[in-house]
Coordinates of all heavy atoms in Angstrom, one line a residue:
M219 N 80.3 95.5 30.2 CA 79.9 94.2 30.8 C 79.8 93.1 29.8 O 80.2 92.0 30.2 CB 78.5 94.5 31.5 CG 78.1 93.4 32.4 SD 79.2 93.3 33.8 CE 78.3 92.4 34.9
I220 N 79.4 93.4 28.6 CA 79.3 92.3 27.6 C 80.7 91.9 27.2 O 80.9 90.7 27.1 CB 78.5 92.8 26.4 CG1 77.1 93.1 26.8 CG2 78.6 91.8 25.2 CD1 76.2 93.7 25.7
L221 N 81.6 92.8 27.1 CA 83.0 92.4 26.8 C 83.6 91.6 27.8 O 84.4 90.6 27.5 CB 83.9 93.7 26.5 CG 83.5 94.5 25.3 CD1 84.3 95.7 25.2 CD2 83.6 93.7 24.0
V222 N 83.4 91.9 29.1 CA 83.9 91.1 30.2 C 83.4 89.7 30.1 O 84.1 88.7 30.3 CB 83.6 91.7 31.6 CG1 84.0 90.8 32.7 CG2 84.3 93.1 31.7
S223 N 82.1 89.5 29.9 CA 81.5 88.2 29.8 C 82.0 87.4 28.6 O 82.2 86.2 28.7 CB 79.9 88.3 29.8 OG 79.5 88.9 28.5
C224 N 82.3 88.1 27.5 CA 82.9 87.4 26.4 C 84.3 86.9 26.7 O 84.7 85.8 26.3 CB 82.9 88.3 25.2 SG 81.3 88.6 24.4
L225 N 85.1 87.7 27.4 CA 86.4 87.3 27.8 C 86.4 86.1 28.8 O 87.2 85.2 28.6 CB 87.2 88.5 28.4 CG 87.5 89.6 27.5 CD1 88.1 90.8 28.2 CD2 88.5 89.1 26.4
I226 N 85.5 86.1 29.7 CA 85.3 85.1 30.6 C 84.9 83.8 29.9 O 85.4 82.7 30.2 CB 84.3 85.4 31.8 CG1 84.9 86.5 32.6 CG2 83.9 84.2 32.6 CD1 84.0 87.1 33.7
K227 N 84.0 83.9 29.0 CA 83.5 82.7 28.2 C 84.7 82.1 27.5 O 84.8 80.9 27.5 CB 82.4 83.1 27.2 CG 81.9 82.0 26.4 CD 80.9 82.5 25.4 CE 80.5 81.3 24.5 NZ 79.6 81.7 23.4
V228 N 85.5 82.9 26.8 CA 86.7 82.4 26.1 C 87.6 81.7 27.0 O 88.1 80.6 26.7 CB 87.4 83.5 25.3 CG1 88.7 83.0 24.7 CG2 86.5 84.0 24.2
A229 N 87.9 82.3 28.2 CA 88.8 81.7 29.1 C 88.3 80.3 29.7 O 89.1 79.4 29.8 CB 89.1 82.6 30.3
V230 N 87.0 80.3 30.0 CA 86.4 79.0 30.4 C 86.5 78.0 29.4 O 86.8 76.8 29.6 CB 85.0 79.3 30.9 CG1 84.2 78.0 31.2 CG2 85.0 80.1 32.2
Q231 N 86.1 78.3 28.1 CA 86.2 77.3 27.0 C 87.6 76.8 26.8 O 87.8 75.7 26.5 CB 85.6 77.9 25.7 CG 84.1 78.1 25.8 CD 83.6 78.8 24.6 OE1 84.2 79.5 23.9 NE2 82.3 78.5 24.3
L232 N 88.6 77.7 26.9 CA 90.0 77.3 26.8 C 90.3 76.2 27.9 O 91.0 75.3 27.6 CB 90.9 78.5 26.8 CG 91.0 79.3 25.6 CD1 91.8 80.6 25.8 CD2 91.5 78.5 24.4
E233 N 89.9 76.5 29.1 CA 90.2 75.6 30.2 C 89.5 74.2 30.0 O 90.0 73.2 30.3 CB 89.8 76.2 31.5 CG 90.7 77.3 32.0 CD 92.2 76.9 32.1 OE1 92.4 75.8 32.6 OE2 93.0 77.6 31.6
F234 N 88.2 74.3 29.5 CA 87.5 73.1 29.2 C 88.2 72.2 28.1 O 88.4 71.0 28.2 CB 86.1 73.3 28.7 CG 85.1 73.7 29.8 CD1 83.9 74.4 29.4 CD2 85.3 73.4 31.1 CE1 83.0 74.7 30.4 CE2 84.4 73.7 32.1 CZ 83.3 74.4 31.7
G235 N 88.7 72.9 27.1 CA 89.5 72.2 26.0 C 90.8 71.7 26.5 O 91.1 70.5 26.2
K236 N 91.5 72.4 27.3 CA 92.7 72.0 27.9 C 92.5 70.7 28.8 O 93.3 69.8 28.7 CB 93.4 73.1 28.7 CG 94.8 72.8 29.1 CD 95.3 73.9 30.0 CE 95.1 75.3 29.4 NZ 95.7 76.4 30.3
N237 N 91.4 70.8 29.6 CA 91.1 69.6 30.4 C 90.8 68.4 29.6 O 91.2 67.3 29.9 CB 89.9 70.0 31.3 CG 89.6 68.9 32.3 OD1 90.3 67.8 32.4 ND2 88.6 69.1 33.2
A238 N 90.1 68.5 28.5 CA 89.7 67.4 27.7 C 91.0 66.8 27.0 O 91.1 65.6 26.9 CB 88.7 67.8 26.6
I239 N 91.9 67.7 26.6 CA 93.1 67.2 26.0 C 94.0 66.5 27.0 O 94.5 65.4 26.7 CB 93.9 68.3 25.3 CG1 93.1 68.8 24.1 CG2 95.3 67.9 24.9 CD1 93.6 70.1 23.5
V240 N 94.2 67.0 28.1 CA 95.1 66.5 29.2 C 94.5 65.2 29.7 O 95.2 64.2 29.8 CB 95.3 67.5 30.3 CG1 96.0 66.8 31.5 CG2 96.1 68.6 29.8
S241 N 93.2 65.1 30.0 CA 92.6 63.9 30.6 C 92.2 62.9 29.6 O 92.2 61.7 29.9 CB 91.4 64.3 31.4 OG 90.3 64.7 30.6
G242 N 92.0 63.3 28.3 CA 91.6 62.3 27.3 C 90.2 61.9 27.4 O 89.7 61.0 26.7
R243 N 89.4 62.6 28.2 CA 88.0 62.3 28.4 C 87.1 63.5 28.0 O 87.5 64.7 28.1 CB 87.7 62.0 29.8 CG 88.3 60.7 30.3 CD 87.9 60.3 31.7 NE 88.4 61.3 32.7 CZ 89.3 61.0 33.6 NH1 89.9 59.9 33.6 NH2 89.6 62.0 34.4
P244 N 85.9 63.3 27.5 CA 85.0 64.4 27.1 C 84.6 65.2 28.3 O 84.6 64.7 29.5 CB 83.8 63.7 26.5 CG 84.2 62.3 26.3 CD 85.3 62.0 27.2
L245 N 84.1 66.4 28.1 CA 83.8 67.3 29.1 C 82.6 66.8 30.0 O 82.6 66.9 31.2 CB 83.4 68.7 28.6 CG 83.0 69.7 29.6 CD1 84.2 70.0 30.5 CD2 82.6 71.0 28.9
M246 N 81.6 66.1 29.4 CA 80.5 65.6 30.2 C 80.9 64.5 31.1 O 80.4 64.4 32.2 CB 79.4 65.1 29.2 CG 78.6 66.2 28.5 SD 77.8 67.3 29.7 CE 78.5 68.8 29.3
H247 N 81.9 63.7 30.7 CA 82.4 62.7 31.6 C 83.1 63.3 32.8 O 83.0 62.9 33.9 CB 83.4 61.8 30.8 CG 83.9 60.7 31.7 ND1 83.1 59.7 32.3 CD2 85.2 60.4 32.0 CE1 83.9 58.9 33.0 NE2 85.2 59.3 32.8
E248 N 83.9 64.4 32.5 CA 84.5 65.1 33.6 C 83.5 65.8 34.5 O 83.7 65.8 35.8 CB 85.5 66.2 33.1 CG 86.6 65.6 32.3 CD 87.6 64.9 33.3 OE1 87.8 65.4 34.4 OE2 88.2 63.9 32.8
F249 N 82.4 66.3 34.0 CA 81.3 66.9 34.8 C 80.7 65.8 35.7 O 80.3 66.1 36.8 CB 80.2 67.5 33.9 CG 80.5 68.9 33.5 CD1 79.7 69.6 32.6 CD2 81.6 69.6 33.9 CE1 79.9 70.9 32.2 CE2 81.9 70.9 33.5 CZ 81.0 71.5 32.7
N250 N 80.6 64.6 35.1 CA 80.0 63.5 35.9 C 80.8 63.1 37.1 O 80.3 62.5 38.0 CB 79.7 62.3 35.0 CG 78.6 61.5 35.5 OD1 77.7 62.0 36.2 ND2 78.6 60.2 35.2
L251 N 82.1 63.4 37.0 CA 83.0 63.0 38.1 C 83.0 64.0 39.2 O 83.7 63.8 40.3 CB 84.4 62.8 37.6 CG 84.6 61.7 36.6 CD1 86.1 61.6 36.0 CD2 84.2 60.3 37.2
L252 N 82.4 65.2 39.0 CA 82.4 66.2 40.1 C 81.6 65.7 41.3 O 80.8 64.8 41.3 CB 81.7 67.5 39.6 CG 82.4 68.3 38.5 CD1 81.5 69.4 38.0 CD2 83.7 68.8 39.0
Q253 N 82.0 66.3 42.5 CA 81.3 66.0 43.7 C 79.9 66.6 43.7 O 79.7 67.7 43.1 CB 82.1 66.4 44.9 CG 83.4 65.7 45.1 CD 84.1 66.3 46.3 OE1 83.7 67.2 46.9 NE2 85.2 65.6 46.6
G254 N 79.0 66.0 44.4 CA 77.7 66.5 44.5 C 76.6 65.5 44.2 O 76.9 64.3 44.0
G255 N 75.4 65.9 44.2 CA 74.3 65.0 44.1 C 74.2 64.4 42.7 O 74.5 65.1 41.7
K256 N 73.7 63.2 42.6 CA 73.5 62.5 41.3 C 72.0 62.2 41.2 O 71.3 61.8 42.1 CB 74.3 61.3 41.2 CG 75.8 61.5 41.1 CD 76.5 60.3 40.7 CE 78.0 60.6 40.5 NZ 78.6 60.1 39.3
V257 N 71.5 62.4 40.0 CA 70.1 62.1 39.6 C 70.1 61.2 38.4 O 70.7 61.5 37.4 CB 69.3 63.4 39.3 CG1 67.9 63.0 38.9 CG2 69.3 64.3 40.4
L258 N 69.5 60.0 38.5 CA 69.5 59.0 37.5 C 71.0 58.7 37.0 O 71.2 58.7 35.8 CB 68.6 59.4 36.3 CG 67.1 59.6 36.7 CD1 66.4 60.2 35.5 CD2 66.5 58.3 37.1
H259 N 71.9 58.5 37.9 CA 73.3 58.2 37.6 C 74.1 59.2 36.9 O 75.1 58.9 36.3 CB 73.4 56.8 36.8 CG 72.6 55.7 37.4 ND1 73.0 55.1 38.6 CD2 71.5 55.1 37.1 CE1 72.2 54.2 38.9 NE2 71.2 54.1 38.0
A260 N 73.6 60.5 36.9 CA 74.3 61.5 36.3 C 74.4 62.7 37.3 O 73.5 63.0 38.1 CB 73.7 62.0 35.0
N261 N 75.6 63.4 37.3 CA 75.8 64.5 38.2 C 74.9 65.7 37.9 O 74.4 65.8 36.8 CB 77.3 64.9 38.1 CG 77.7 65.7 39.3 OD1 77.1 66.8 39.5 ND2 78.8 65.3 39.9
W262 N 74.8 66.5 38.9 CA 73.9 67.7 38.7 C 74.4 68.6 37.6 O 73.7 69.2 36.9 CB 73.8 68.5 40.0 CG 75.1 69.0 40.5 CD1 76.1 68.4 41.3 CD2 75.7 70.3 40.1 NE1 77.1 69.2 41.5 CE2 77.0 70.4 40.8 CE3 75.3 71.3 39.3 CZ2 77.8 71.5 40.6 CZ3 76.1 72.4 39.2 CH2 77.3 72.5 39.9
A263 N 75.8 68.6 37.4 CA 76.4 69.5 36.4 C 76.0 69.0 35.0 O 75.8 69.8 34.1 CB 77.9 69.5 36.5
V264 N 75.9 67.7 34.8 CA 75.5 67.2 33.5 C 74.0 67.5 33.2 O 73.7 68.0 32.1 CB 75.7 65.6 33.5 CG1 75.1 65.0 32.2 CG2 77.1 65.3 33.7
W265 N 73.2 67.4 34.3 CA 71.7 67.7 34.1 C 71.6 69.2 33.8 O 70.7 69.7 33.1 CB 70.9 67.3 35.3 CG 70.7 65.8 35.3 CD1 71.3 64.9 36.1 CD2 69.9 65.1 34.4 NE1 70.9 63.6 35.8 CE2 70.0 63.7 34.7 CE3 69.1 65.4 33.3 CZ2 69.4 62.7 34.0 CZ3 68.4 64.4 32.6 CH2 68.6 63.1 33.0
A266 N 72.3 70.1 34.6 CA 72.3 71.5 34.4 C 72.6 71.9 32.9 O 72.0 72.7 32.3 CB 73.2 72.2 35.4
T267 N 73.7 71.3 32.4 CA 74.1 71.5 31.0 C 73.0 71.1 30.0 O 72.8 71.8 29.1 CB 75.5 70.8 30.8 OG1 76.4 71.2 31.7 CG2 75.9 71.1 29.3
F268 N 72.4 69.9 30.3 CA 71.4 69.4 29.5 C 70.2 70.4 29.4 O 69.7 70.7 28.4 CB 70.9 68.0 29.9 CG 69.8 67.4 29.2 CD1 69.9 67.1 27.9 CD2 68.6 67.3 29.8 CE1 68.8 66.5 27.2 CE2 67.5 66.8 29.1 CZ 67.6 66.4 27.8
V269 N 69.7 70.9 30.6 CA 68.6 71.8 30.7 C 68.9 73.1 30.0 O 68.1 73.6 29.3 CB 68.2 72.0 32.2 CG1 67.2 73.1 32.3 CG2 67.6 70.7 32.7
L270 N 70.1 73.6 30.2 CA 70.5 74.9 29.6 C 70.6 74.7 28.1 O 70.2 75.7 27.3 CB 71.8 75.4 30.1 CG 71.8 75.9 31.6 CD1 73.2 76.2 32.1 CD2 70.9 77.1 31.7
T271 N 71.0 73.6 27.6 CA 71.0 73.4 26.2 C 69.6 73.3 25.6 O 69.4 73.9 24.5 CB 71.8 72.1 25.8 OG1 73.1 72.1 26.4 CG2 71.8 71.8 24.3
L272 N 68.7 72.7 26.3 CA 67.3 72.7 25.8 C 66.7 74.1 25.8 O 66.0 74.5 24.8 CB 66.4 71.8 26.8 CG 66.6 70.3 26.6 CD1 65.7 69.6 27.7 CD2 66.2 69.9 25.2
F273 N 67.0 74.9 26.8 CA 66.5 76.3 26.8 C 67.2 77.1 25.6 O 66.5 77.9 25.0 CB 66.9 77.0 28.1 CG 65.9 76.6 29.2 CD1 66.4 76.5 30.5 CD2 64.6 76.3 29.0 CE1 65.6 76.1 31.6 CE2 63.7 76.0 30.0 CZ 64.2 75.9 31.3
K274 N 68.4 76.8 25.3 CA 69.1 77.5 24.2 C 68.4 77.1 22.9 O 68.2 78.0 22.0 CB 70.6 77.1 24.2 CG 71.4 77.9 23.2 CD 72.7 77.3 22.9 CE 73.7 77.6 24.0 NZ 75.1 77.2 23.7
I275 N 68.0 75.9 22.7 CA 67.4 75.4 21.5 C 66.0 76.1 21.4 O 65.6 76.6 20.3 CB 67.2 73.9 21.5 CG1 68.6 73.2 21.3 CG2 66.3 73.5 20.4 CD1 68.6 71.7 21.5
L276 N 65.3 76.2 22.5 CA 64.0 76.9 22.5 C 64.2 78.4 22.1 O 63.4 79.0 21.4 CB 63.3 76.8 23.8 CG 62.7 75.4 24.1 CD1 62.2 75.3 25.5 CD2 61.6 75.0 23.1
Q277 N 65.2 79.0 22.7 CA 65.5 80.4 22.5 C 65.8 80.6 21.0 O 65.3 81.6 20.4 CB 66.6 80.8 23.3 CG 67.0 82.3 23.2 CD 68.2 82.6 24.1 OE1 69.0 81.8 24.4 NE2 68.3 83.9 24.4
L278 N 66.6 79.8 20.4 CA 66.9 79.9 19.0 C 65.7 79.7 18.1 O 65.5 80.4 17.1 CB 68.0 78.9 18.6 CG 69.4 79.2 19.1 CD1 70.4 78.1 18.8 CD2 70.0 80.5 18.5
G279 N 64.8 78.8 18.5 CA 63.6 78.6 17.7 C 62.7 79.8 17.8 O 62.1 80.3 16.8
G280 N 62.7 80.5 19.0 CA 61.9 81.7 19.1 C 62.4 82.8 18.3 O 61.7 83.6 17.7
M281 N 63.8 83.0 18.3 CA 64.4 84.0 17.5 C 64.1 83.8 16.0 O 63.9 84.7 15.2 CB 65.9 84.1 17.8 CG 66.2 84.7 19.1 SD 67.9 85.1 19.4 CE 68.6 83.5 19.5
L282 N 64.2 82.5 15.6 CA 64.0 82.2 14.1 C 62.6 82.5 13.8 O 62.3 83.1 12.7 CB 64.4 80.8 13.9 CG 64.2 80.3 12.4 CD1 65.1 81.1 11.5 CD2 64.4 78.8 12.3
G283 N 61.6 82.1 14.6 CA 60.2 82.3 14.4 C 59.9 83.8 14.3 O 59.1 84.3 13.5
G284 N 60.5 84.6 15.3 CA 60.2 86.0 15.3 C 60.8 86.7 14.1 O 60.1 87.6 13.5
A285 N 62.0 86.3 13.7 CA 62.6 86.9 12.5 C 61.7 86.6 11.2 O 61.5 87.4 10.4 CB 64.0 86.4 12.2
A286 N 61.2 85.3 11.2 CA 60.3 85.0 10.1 C 59.0 85.8 10.1 O 58.6 86.2 9.0 CB 59.9 83.5 10.2
I287 N 58.4 86.1 11.2 CA 57.2 86.9 11.3 C 57.5 88.3 10.8 O 56.8 88.9 10.1 CB 56.7 86.9 12.7 CG1 56.1 85.5 13.0 CG2 55.6 87.9 12.9 CD1 55.7 85.3 14.4
V288 N 58.6 88.9 11.3 CA 59.0 90.2 10.9 C 59.3 90.3 9.5 O 58.8 91.3 8.8 CB 60.2 90.7 11.8 CG1 60.8 92.0 11.2 CG2 59.8 90.9 13.2
L289 N 60.0 89.4 8.9 CA 60.3 89.4 7.5 C 59.0 89.3 6.6 O 58.8 89.9 5.6 CB 61.3 88.3 7.1 CG 62.7 88.6 7.5 CD1 63.6 87.4 7.2 CD2 63.2 89.8 6.8
N290 N 58.0 88.4 7.2 CA 56.7 88.3 6.5 C 55.9 89.6 6.5 O 55.2 89.9 5.6 CB 56.0 87.1 7.1 CG 54.8 86.7 6.2 OD1 54.7 87.1 5.0 ND2 53.8 86.1 6.8
L291 N 56.0 90.3 7.6 CA 55.3 91.6 7.7 C 56.0 92.6 6.8 O 55.3 93.5 6.3 CB 55.3 92.1 9.2 CG 54.4 91.3 10.1 CD1 54.6 91.7 11.6 CD2 53.0 91.4 9.7
L292 N 57.3 92.6 6.7 CA 58.0 93.6 5.9 C 57.8 93.3 4.4 O 57.7 94.2 3.6 CB 59.5 93.6 6.2 CG 59.9 94.2 7.6 CD1 61.3 94.1 7.9 CD2 59.5 95.7 7.6
F293 N 57.9 92.0 4.0 CA 57.8 91.6 2.6 C 56.7 90.6 2.4 O 57.0 89.4 2.2 CB 59.1 91.0 2.2 CG 60.3 91.9 2.4 CD1 61.2 91.6 3.4 CD2 60.5 93.1 1.7 CE1 62.3 92.4 3.7 CE2 61.6 93.9 1.9 CZ 62.5 93.6 2.9
P294 N 55.4 91.0 2.5 CA 54.3 90.0 2.4 C 54.3 89.3 1.0 O 53.8 88.2 0.9 CB 53.1 90.8 2.7 CG 53.5 92.3 2.4 CD 54.9 92.3 2.7
A295 N 54.8 90.0 0.0 CA 54.7 89.4 -1.4 C 55.7 88.2 -1.5 O 55.5 87.4 -2.4 CB 55.0 90.4 -2.4
A296 N 56.6 88.1 -0.6 CA 57.7 87.1 -0.7 C 57.4 85.9 0.3 O 58.3 85.3 0.7 CB 59.0 87.7 -0.4
S297 N 56.1 85.7 0.6 CA 55.8 84.7 1.6 C 56.1 83.3 1.0 O 56.0 83.1 -0.2 CB 54.3 84.8 2.1 OG 53.5 84.1 1.2
V298 N 56.4 82.4 1.8 CA 56.8 81.0 1.4 C 55.6 80.2 1.2 O 54.6 80.2 2.0 CB 57.7 80.4 2.5 CG1 58.1 79.0 2.1 CG2 58.9 81.2 2.7
V299 N 55.5 79.4 0.1 CA 54.5 78.5 -0.2 C 54.9 77.1 0.3 O 55.9 76.6 -0.1 CB 54.1 78.4 -1.7 CG1 53.0 77.4 -1.9 CG2 53.8 79.8 -2.2
F300 N 54.2 76.6 1.3 CA 54.6 75.4 2.0 C 54.0 74.2 1.1 O 52.9 73.9 1.0 CB 54.0 75.3 3.4 CG 54.5 74.1 4.1 CD1 55.8 74.0 4.6 CD2 53.6 73.1 4.4 CE1 56.2 72.9 5.2 CE2 54.0 72.0 5.1 CZ 55.3 71.9 5.5
L301 N 54.9 73.5 0.5 CA 54.6 72.3 -0.3 C 53.7 72.5 -1.4 O 53.0 71.6 -1.9 CB 54.1 71.1 0.6 CG 55.1 70.6 1.6 CD1 54.4 69.5 2.4 CD2 56.3 70.0 0.9
D302 N 53.5 73.8 -1.8 CA 52.7 74.2 -3.0 C 51.2 73.6 -2.8 O 50.6 73.2 -3.8 CB 53.3 73.7 -4.3 CG 52.8 74.5 -5.4 OD1 52.4 75.7 -5.2 OD2 52.9 74.0 -6.6
C303 N 50.7 73.5 -1.6 CA 49.4 73.1 -1.3 C 48.5 74.3 -1.1 O 48.7 75.1 -0.2 CB 49.3 72.1 -0.1 SG 50.3 70.6 -0.3
P304 N 47.3 74.4 -1.8 CA 46.4 75.4 -1.5 C 45.7 75.2 -0.2 O 45.5 74.1 0.2 CB 45.4 75.4 -2.6 CG 45.6 74.1 -3.3 CD 47.0 73.6 -2.9
V305 N 45.5 76.3 0.5 CA 44.8 76.2 1.8 C 43.3 75.9 1.6 O 42.7 76.5 0.8 CB 45.0 77.5 2.6 CG1 44.2 77.5 3.9 CG2 46.4 77.8 2.8
G306 N 42.8 75.0 2.4 CA 41.4 74.7 2.4 C 41.1 73.4 1.6 O 39.9 73.0 1.5
D307 N 42.1 72.7 1.0 CA 41.8 71.5 0.3 C 41.8 70.3 1.2 O 42.6 70.1 2.0 CB 42.7 71.4 -0.9 CG 42.4 72.3 -2.1 OD1 41.2 72.8 -2.0 OD2 43.2 72.4 -3.0

């Protein structure tokens, strides 16, 4: 299932790139030209992409924070000193 989704992702990205080259317009502009409801002068597809991008940023932050916690638990002697400030001053 993962391999199928990777193949579909590559095919969709190739079509997005081909559309941008042929039309000469960025993908978000093409999304804004789609039929459907508009919110604050932008199409629903633009807002969906924006919301999904925000979720992706939060997800990456969570993974980075989780990895930092695990590494700190595995190697407590190698903890990072933030700005060389002692705690409690």
Side-chain angles (χ1 to χ4, degrees):
M219 190 65 160
I220 293 174
L221 293 176
V222 173
S223 67
C224 288
L225 292 173
I226 291 172
K227 178 183 176 188
V228 169
V230 169
Q231 287 177 336
L232 286 172
E233 290 302 318
F234 283 161
K236 193 184 307 180
N237 185 359
I239 291 170
V240 169
S241 70
R243 293 186 295 248
L245 182 62
M246 287 299 119
H247 181 61
E248 293 292 322
F249 276 176
N250 205 28
L251 297 177
L252 291 173
Q253 294 179 354
K256 291 195 177 221
V257 178
L258 298 174
H259 306 291
N261 194 305
W262 65 270
V264 175
W265 286 108
T267 304
F268 175 68
V269 169
L270 288 173
T271 302
L272 284 178
F273 285 143
K274 188 191 284 187
I275 292 169
L276 290 173
Q277 182 183 25
L278 288 172
M281 287 189 291
L282 180 64
I287 290 170
V288 168
L289 287 173
N290 191 20
L291 290 173
L292 289 173
F293 307 107
S297 86
V298 177
V299 178
F300 186 71
L301 295 178
D302 205 23
C303 297
V305 177
D307 283 345

